[in-house]
Amino acid sequence: MSHKRIPKRKAAIAAGGAVALGAAAVLLPNANASQDGGSPDDAAAAPRTLKAADASDLASRLAGLLGDTFAGSYYDSGTQQLVVNVVPGDDNQVVVRAKKAGAQVREVDNSMSELRSGARTLKSEASMPGTSWAIDPRTNKILVTADSTVTGDRWDRLESTVEGLGDGMATVRKSAGTFKTFASGGDAIFGGGARCSLGFNVTAGDGSPAFLTAGHCGVAADQWSDAQGGQPIATVDQAVFPGQGDFALVTYDDPATEAPSEVNLGDQTLPISRAAEATVGQEVFRMGSTTGLADGQVLGLDATVNYPEGTVTGLIQTDVCAEPGDSGGSLFTRDGLAIGLTSGGSGDCTVGGETFFQPVTTALEAVGASLGDEGAGAGAGAGEAGAGAGAGDSGGAGAGAGAGGAGEGAGVGDDGSGPTG
């Protein structure tokens, strides 16, 4: 397994993988710092050029400013601008302030409350394995996905539910793959006959070194090793799956373990500075033991997936590929921000599919851990990431499963498959 060892076994598993040699150079920081490029007066009248992380921060502020007028946002990577959706209202001043803040403002028909209501309807009337959904701010609709198992009466039920939401509220698409969980043997972290990927090294609430991985890995085994058949080096402290997330906190058995906040790319490491929220349209990278380094974009937030094991909510939907053995691994940005943990999806890195990730920010909050600059020396390792799971919005439910386990690199591709682990 790809990891760093400090002499006398004071080592944490560093996320990352040796197989990502060619793709590693893609992650070298580049000169794309946020800048307006014009005078202050011009900036007040035109959308600002932003890095994705800055766009996420701005989106959060504008969501509070706009209130019910806010209907989602996404990052346009081509123009490097934040696009904010608004529903027409009586108070035009909030829109003016949003423009002055640097966002591109777009009027849309569906409000966030309407879209979330639609997701709740899907959950109550069409929750079935093989389906997923998430709000897509680029289309201002709910994107519903059905895998190859959704046929006959089940397909009719899903289609009827979507039609009942009304015109312009949701779209349905078929996925060639099958949403399912994956457990795989191989070179990564091992427990109970399963292989998963280490996500990010962190500092637990009591100051001890630990790491995050997928919750479906944490419920599969209590103890984990860095070698197949090897002695355990870490023990599960907390795990959530299924339900409100797919994450686990695993503490190193040796309290002297050093857990570097970095992603091991094989021929170099990428420092991880902190955890950050994902933004739709944002470029992201994943590391996994099966497929190496993969990249893609964020497609949706607050996604819900119906796995065979149960429903998982609050996930990030992407088009990053993954395969069995990548589960639990890291999703991150080229400038070293920790974004997600591979949960599940469908397909593979050859044919593509759907991929979902557990947000790192919510996992850290839930388990009381810290990462990167916030973690007093413990860090995040990215590179043992896998494919994510979950599509939907607040209250929505979908089905998905990804591929993955802890490991060393991940190949570049489109989508992933099922909770990987």
Side-chain angles (χ1 to χ4, degrees):
M1 164 179 182
S2 183
H3 60 276
K4 289 190 171 182
R5 278 206 184 280
I6 309 301
K8 298 182 181 178
R9 198 173 173 78
K10 293 182 179 180
I13 305 169
V19 301
L21 303 181
V26 176
L27 294 176
L28 289 174
N30 56 15
N32 62 347
S34 173
Q35 51 184 311
D36 293 344
S39 68
D41 291 339
D42 292 336
R48 286 191 295 149
T49 298
L50 300 166
K51 294 200 299 185
D54 297 328
S56 177
D57 293 340
L58 178 58
S60 297
R61 296 198 302 272
L62 289 178
L65 172 68
L66 296 173
D68 293 339
T69 304
F70 180 78
S73 64
Y74 64 94
Y75 181 66
D76 186 329
S77 58
T79 62
Q80 293 186 305
Q81 294 173 351
L82 175 69
V83 181
V84 174
N85 295 335
V86 299
V87 289
D90 297 331
D91 186 3
N92 290 328
Q93 285 305 113
V94 292
V95 175
V96 171
R97 289 197 293 271
K99 290 181 177 179
K100 286 186 176 181
Q104 178 183 339
V105 178
R106 184 181 72 152
E107 288 193 359
V108 295
D109 294 328
N110 298 320
S111 68
M112 285 301 295
S113 61
E114 290 171 331
L115 292 168
R116 287 170 176 158
S117 176
R120 288 192 293 271
T121 298
L122 287 166
K123 180 179 181 179
S124 64
E125 299 183 12
S127 288
M128 64 188 85
T131 60
S132 67
W133 46 84
I135 291 176
D136 180 3
R138 288 171 295 190
T139 62
N140 188 230
K141 297 179 181 180
I142 303 170
L143 175 61
V144 182
T145 304
D147 74 9
S148 59
T149 68
V150 182
T151 58
D153 291 343
R154 297 172 73 237
W155 170 258
D156 293 341
R157 174 182 162 196
L158 178 65
E159 196 171 40
S160 175
T161 303
V162 170
E163 291 175 354
L165 299 178
D167 292 338
M169 184 62 65
T171 57
V172 185
R173 69 179 183 184
K174 292 282 288 184
S175 171
T178 301
F179 292 149
K180 57 187 176 183
T181 58
F182 284 91
S184 178
D187 185 19
I189 59 172
F190 304 86
R195 182 189 70 179
C196 284
S197 297
L198 183 151
F200 295 97
N201 287 319
V202 299
T203 300
D206 62 1
S208 60
F211 63 84
L212 295 176
T213 189
H216 64 269
C217 299
V219 300
D222 290 332
Q223 293 185 306
W224 289 84
S225 172
D226 58 353
Q228 190 168 21
Q231 291 297 313
I233 65 166
T235 302
V236 174
D237 181 78
Q238 304 176 52
V240 174
F241 178 84
Q244 297 181 341
D246 184 3
F247 57 88
L249 176 70
V250 186
T251 57
Y252 288 102
D253 295 335
D254 182 354
T257 297
E258 296 179 9
S261 181
E262 61 188 26
V263 178
N264 184 355
L265 301 176
D267 61 347
Q268 60 180 301
T269 58
L270 177 71
I272 298 294
S273 59
R274 62 183 176 90
E277 300 287 350
T279 302
V280 172
Q282 179 179 27
E283 176 191 48
V284 286
F285 296 85
R286 176 193 58 74
M287 290 295 292
S289 62
T290 299
T291 53
L293 179 66
D295 68 343
Q297 284 192 351
V298 174
L299 302 179
L301 305 177
D302 199 12
T304 300
V305 174
N306 287 320
Y307 290 113
E309 298 87 345
T311 298
V312 179
T313 61
L315 303 177
I316 301 166
Q317 184 174 1
T318 77
D319 64 0
V320 185
C321 77
E323 298 182 8
D326 291 329
S327 268
S330 317
L331 186 72
F332 53 96
T333 66
R334 71 169 65 240
D335 52 353
L337 299 178
I339 302 296
L341 306 167
T342 298
S343 174
S346 70
D348 56 35
C349 287
T350 300
V351 302
E354 311 303 321
T355 317
F356 306 94
F357 294 81
Q358 163 67 45
V360 171
T361 52
T362 54
L364 288 171
E365 182 179 3
V367 301
S370 55
L371 178 156
D373 294 343
E374 305 168 346
E384 306 185 335
D393 182 64
S394 304
E408 303 162 353
V412 179
D414 266 351
D415 296 356
S417 36
T420 59

